[in-house]
Amino acid sequence: VGIDLSAASVKVVELSPGQKSRFRLERYAIEPVERGAIVEGIIDRSEPVVDALNRALRRSGSRAKEAALALPAAAVITKKIMLPAGLREEDYELQVEAEASQYIPFPIDEVNLDFQVLGPSAGSEDEVDVLLAASRKEKVDDRVAIAETVGLKAIVMDVEPYSLRAALDHATAQMPDGGQGKIIALFSIGQTVTSLTVVLNEQTIFEREQGFGGQYLTQELVRVYGLTPEEAETRKCSGDLPENYAGELALPFAEQGATDIGRALQFFFTSTPYTRVDQILLAGGSAVVPGFAEAVQRRTQVPTALLNPFQGMELSDSVRERQLRNDAPALLVATGLAMRRFDA
């Protein structure tokens, strides 16, 4: 089961091998988490997170015993380095550990470290590019402890942007010609930050974060309708709100989001050689706010759609398709994590 721990909610996704496709969505759930329990990706208070995860697992009906989780990008130091080609795995481990000490401002015994050989280096035939990732052990241990408290064994600890990319790559593979030749901009709208990832032919060509997120709309729901923050998050996703919500709160939020997305694209155009985007995809819980995708398309004049990471997957009988369409854009990280068990 893939577990995404975010500031607003805990999300779980369980996948299995499909009969006619690679994946089958067995079950999923989203449960709000007490405000302030997770701050900027860091677990500040574990009890509310454990409670939310327990509720999500019960609601989903999952009986999985193994879990994949992820750390926020801010908690991980990543660096691409070049090493000699043709080494054995254990030799790469020694080399990476020696190199890592140059880039990590902590004693090496205080971090969890991993690496991935990316392939031949463009600068030298005798070298390979290697991506190393390191995080303080306490950050990893916090998430492992959350899983263990609810009876799960954490077997994968990934990084959130990489999990998101795994789900994005699956979705773009469902496009005509596998999305080849198309410049695709994914905007993932989080609680306080919107991240932009632009890909071309399965390669990331641009990344950026900006300070716009669903928290503003949540605060407005609390102020106008007298809801608790947790109630506001739940009802924002379910759509169980007064008739005037769309015009009074959702539309101004959508227009502001569209303006910020338009600015982010302009920054992409002015800071890279690229002058076009062929498709905008929206993800995150706030992407489903009424009128958001339409506002973005009007502002940018680029085809815009909500990203469904389950496109092309089989669905179990327990999954309600109508509800899934509303929830899917918020489940990218959890889905990418659940895919990890299918990696060769």
Side-chain angles (χ1 to χ4, degrees):
V1 61
I3 299 173
D4 177 18
L5 306 177
S6 69
S9 62
V10 168
K11 310 168 191 74
V12 299
V13 169
E14 184 180 322
L15 301 177
S16 69
Q19 293 183 337
K20 298 179 180 179
S21 60
R22 189 181 179 202
F23 300 111
R24 170 184 163 99
L25 173 61
E26 292 293 344
R27 48 189 63 85
Y28 77 93
I30 302 173
E31 284 292 326
V33 67
E34 187 177 304
R35 193 175 187 183
I38 301 176
V39 180
E40 295 182 355
I42 305 303
I43 297 171
D44 193 49
R45 291 180 289 119
S46 62
E47 285 188 17
V49 182
V50 169
D51 179 59
L53 179 54
N54 260 322
R55 284 187 278 114
L57 291 169
R58 284 198 303 269
R59 184 176 169 192
S60 71
S62 175
R63 295 182 180 179
K65 297 300 180 186
E66 296 177 328
L69 300 97
L71 289 162
V76 183
I77 297 170
T78 58
K79 183 72 176 178
K80 187 187 291 186
I81 61 175
M82 291 191 301
L83 293 176
L87 299 183
R88 296 177 301 170
E89 181 84 6
E90 53 266 34
D91 293 328
Y92 278 121
E93 289 181 10
L94 293 172
Q95 290 262 12
V96 166
E97 191 166 315
E99 290 280 337
S101 59
Q102 302 179 40
Y103 308 107
I104 300 169
F106 315 110
I108 202 73
D109 60 354
E110 293 181 9
V111 302
N112 284 109
L113 177 69
D114 202 1
F115 69 94
Q116 175 73 44
V117 177
L118 301 177
S121 174
S124 171
E125 295 181 358
D126 300 324
E127 294 182 308
V128 291
D129 289 332
V130 176
L131 179 69
L132 68 84
S135 179
R136 295 290 295 268
K137 285 184 177 178
E138 62 196 53
K139 307 298 184 189
V140 175
D141 292 346
D142 284 348
R143 278 168 161 70
V144 171
I146 294 291
E148 290 178 344
T149 303
V150 300
L152 294 171
K153 181 181 180 181
I155 59 168
V156 169
M157 188 65 65
D158 207 332
V159 188
E160 288 176 2
Y162 299 160
S163 300
L164 184 145
R165 264 301 304 274
L168 173 61
D169 288 348
H170 169 79
T172 54
Q174 313 304 311
M175 296 179 176
D177 299 321
Q180 292 296 302
K182 300 291 186 183
I183 298 178
I184 300 166
L186 169 65
F187 288 90
S188 182
I189 304 152
Q191 184 76 340
T192 58
V193 171
T194 293
S195 65
L196 165 61
T197 303
V198 185
V199 296
L200 171 62
N201 298 334
E202 300 179 356
Q203 298 296 316
T204 299
I205 58 174
F206 185 78
E207 290 179 301
R208 178 178 168 84
E209 287 189 346
Q210 58 193 67
F212 172 82
Q215 181 172 284
Y216 171 74
L217 182 56
T218 300
Q219 291 170 343
E220 286 295 282
L221 290 170
V222 170
R223 181 182 67 83
V224 175
Y225 300 128
L227 305 173
T228 66
E230 292 76 18
E231 288 172 337
E233 285 294 339
T234 301
R235 293 173 69 173
K236 182 172 70 175
C237 294
S238 68
D240 180 22
L241 289 162
E243 287 185 11
N244 65 342
Y245 161 68
E248 187 175 0
L249 297 183
L251 185 59
F253 176 79
E255 292 295 343
Q256 181 60 54
T259 299
D260 281 21
I261 284 173
R263 288 178 184 147
L265 287 183
Q266 287 304 313
F267 190 87
F268 165 65
F269 296 142
T270 57
S271 56
T272 71
Y274 302 98
T275 58
R276 75 177 206 279
V277 163
D278 300 303
Q279 175 75 58
I280 292 174
L281 296 173
L282 302 177
S286 297
V288 299
V289 167
F292 198 101
E294 293 82 358
V296 171
Q297 183 159 319
R298 281 198 306 272
R299 179 68 59 132
T300 63
Q301 297 297 298
V302 176
T304 302
L306 298 175
L307 177 55
N308 178 4
F310 308 109
Q311 193 76 30
M313 291 190 192
E314 299 169 30
L315 304 179
S316 73
D317 293 339
S318 63
V319 175
R320 294 183 294 173
E321 287 193 53
R322 183 176 178 182
Q323 184 63 45
L324 180 64
R325 283 195 296 272
N326 192 64
D327 293 336
L331 295 168
L332 263 69
V333 170
T335 302
L337 287 168
M339 287 177 180
R340 283 295 302 268
R341 286 314 299 268
F342 299 85
D343 288 351

